[in-house]
Amino acid sequence: MNLFCRAFHGPADWGWVNEQMGVLRVEDTSGIIGIDADTNETVAACIMDNWTRNSVQAHLIIKNSMALRNGFLEEIFDYMYNVKGVNRIYGLVPGDNVKALKINAHIGFTEKMRLDDAWEEGIDYVVVEMKKENCNYLPKLEAA
């Protein structure tokens, strides 16, 4: 895979994003789109919203897991932590989405809390968090 990342462009990208995940577009929505340059296929996206001075909510869409091995995570975390300057990233995951919870845990998110029946009756919303100091996808500074 030859991954190319570019900024999310609302009018052009919103249809694809909505097909994958029912995220509501809000005033501060931004994101990064991952495209396989060999096929011109959109393979991943990170849609970000609810920005504060120290945090952001992120919505990950991974259509091809090879994007995770080809720099997508490094790109999105660099953007949120280093370019935008937040120190915490939050996500809301339906408790029955076992695959998403597993991927989030694998890349370093930790479960912060569960909101009982918040997704729907019988299904919790799981709040996950990643602090900048715990992110393994940022370049490490070498000691002098």
Side-chain angles (χ1 to χ4, degrees):
M1 174 180 286
N2 183 12
L3 188 71
F4 168 77
C5 292
R6 64 165 173 78
F8 166 78
H9 183 260
D13 295 324
W14 198 248
W16 183 87
V17 168
N18 266 337
E19 286 176 14
Q20 313 310 310
M21 173 189 299
V23 178
L24 296 177
R25 189 169 174 206
V26 295
E27 187 174 313
D28 67 349
T29 298
S30 61
I32 294 175
I33 303 293
I35 298 171
D36 183 343
D38 296 329
T39 64
N40 203 32
E41 178 185 1
T42 302
V43 294
C46 181
I47 305 302
M48 305 155 218
D49 55 30
N50 297 307
W51 294 89
T52 70
R53 290 185 178 140
N54 198 44
S55 70
V56 65
Q57 183 177 348
H59 312 273
L60 287 174
I61 302 168
I62 308 298
K63 293 297 289 180
N64 184 329
S65 62
M66 289 304 292
L68 301 176
R69 296 178 182 222
N70 284 278
F72 186 70
L73 295 174
E74 290 82 356
E75 188 81 26
I76 65 172
F77 291 128
D78 179 61
Y79 177 75
M80 290 183 278
Y81 289 127
N82 296 328
V83 174
K84 298 300 276 185
V86 301
N87 288 304
R88 295 171 190 257
I89 299 169
Y90 293 99
L92 293 170
V93 183
D96 64 344
N97 191 339
V98 176
K99 185 176 180 179
L101 290 169
K102 184 176 178 179
I103 289 170
N104 278 295
H106 178 75
I107 63 177
F109 282 90
T110 57
E111 184 175 319
K112 189 75 173 170
M113 66 184 297
R114 286 182 176 255
L115 305 171
D116 296 338
D117 300 323
W119 178 252
E120 66 181 46
E121 193 66 37
I123 301 175
D124 300 342
Y125 234 161
V126 181
V127 179
V128 295
E129 174 189 62
M130 184 187 296
K131 297 177 184 176
K132 182 177 182 178
E133 64 264 22
N134 297 332
C135 182
N136 293 323
Y137 299 95
L138 296 174
K140 304 294 183 210
L141 297 176
E142 292 184 24

